[in-house]
Amino acid sequence: MYLNKELVYGYNPYLKIDENNGAGTMMDVGVLMMKEGDVYKFNETEKELAWIILCGNITLNYSGGTVNINRPNPFDYNPWCLHLPAGESCEIKAHGHTEIYVQKTYNDKFFSARLYRPKDTDTWRLGSNGELGGCIERDVRTCFDYENAPYSNMVLGEVVNLAGKWSSYPPHDHPQPEVYYYHFEKPQGFGAGWANGKVYEIHHHGLLVITEGTHSQVMAPGYPCCYVWGILHLPGNPWKKTRIDDPVHEWLLDLNAKYWDNK
């Protein structure tokens, strides 16, 4: 399933748990778009909430205090990510155009609110050892997962998919549902994403919903894309960096994989 929206200022919902279980993800997913002077308050009573600012300049007020956050773009700057338990609120004031990805799910476990700052999240360049001629080189960032937030029912991170390259490749799957939210450097950017046995043309502000089957994607040359990836832990089966590679394509994992490349 693929969703594309023309965003307006305010909160733009993509998925709602109370509507078809969030298209099978069991999550709420949305994007908050703000302009200079806008103020927005999140106050979930039953759901944990996490958000990543993709671009913008804001003042954040939450239980941890008041923090000024500025992220000009998601390509050159590591993420700021706020993670709140149910029952805790936050208020955001924008100082210019701002876009924030938002993810929620039910969770009755209490935990302390945490603001992950850029220094808390490493950027890992994967596929840089010459695999497949450099075609799967990308930057991966994980804000929180089962390792550093076992109390959460979610996982949240980003990937910077370089222009003309693949990511989530070779094709793989896992039983836990996942979403990809695409933020291209240029709004006319495009690519292709595979999910649920289908291929979709993907665009700026698009959301790919993955509930079964293998997934991978590629961006068009000239159009780098940062996509947010969010996963739901299944009851009794959390995502622990789970990756089940398609056996048909496992040979591609060999650093010395042989194929014709006209060299």
Side-chain angles (χ1 to χ4, degrees), residues 99-233:
E99 296 180 24
I100 297 174
Y101 170 89
V102 183
Q103 187 173 287
K104 314 173 193 176
T105 196
Y106 287 110
N107 188 349
D108 58 7
K109 295 188 287 291
F110 176 79
F111 56 89
S112 297
R114 180 166 180 184
L115 178 64
Y116 296 91
R117 299 166 184 262
K119 65 181 178 61
D120 299 321
T121 301
D122 291 322
T123 293
W124 298 96
R125 175 59 61 91
L126 299 182
S128 59
N129 293 319
E131 302 97 319
L132 301 176
C135 290
I136 58 173
E137 195 170 356
R138 72 274 192 199
D139 290 336
V140 179
R141 305 161 178 155
T142 304
C143 296
F144 66 87
D145 61 9
Y146 190 79
E147 290 184 359
N148 65 341
Y151 41 78
S152 176
N153 288 337
M154 303 189 299
V155 178
L156 193 57
E158 295 178 341
V159 171
V160 176
N161 199 138
L162 305 181
K165 309 229 180 218
W166 290 72
S167 65
S168 299
Y169 192 87
H172 70 280
D173 70 283
H174 43 76
Q176 299 84 6
E178 184 172 18
V179 296
Y180 291 151
Y181 173 75
Y182 301 101
H183 183 97
F184 282 85
E185 181 195 31
K186 300 184 185 302
Q188 69 269 37
F190 67 99
W194 282 254
N196 311 317
K198 297 180 180 179
V199 59
Y200 301 89
E201 185 174 316
I202 55 179
H203 295 273
H204 191 50
H205 295 157
L207 185 81
L208 188 65
V209 179
I210 306 160
T211 53
E212 62 180 352
T214 59
H215 42 280
S216 55
Q217 56 210 310
V218 63
M219 303 305 161
Y223 293 116
C225 176
C226 177
Y227 64 87
V228 179
W229 54 279
I231 297 176
L232 181 95
H233 293 306

Side-chain angles (χ1 to χ4, degrees), residues 45-61:
T45 58
E46 298 179 280
K47 299 169 186 171
E48 65 172 298
L49 178 150
W51 56 249
I52 287 179
I53 181 169
L54 285 159
C55 61
N57 187 347
I58 65 171
T59 298
L60 165 67
N61 282 291

Side-chain angles (χ1 to χ4, degrees), residues 40 130-131 140 237 257 261:
Y40 194 90
E131 302 97 319
V140 179
N237 188 14
D261 61 2

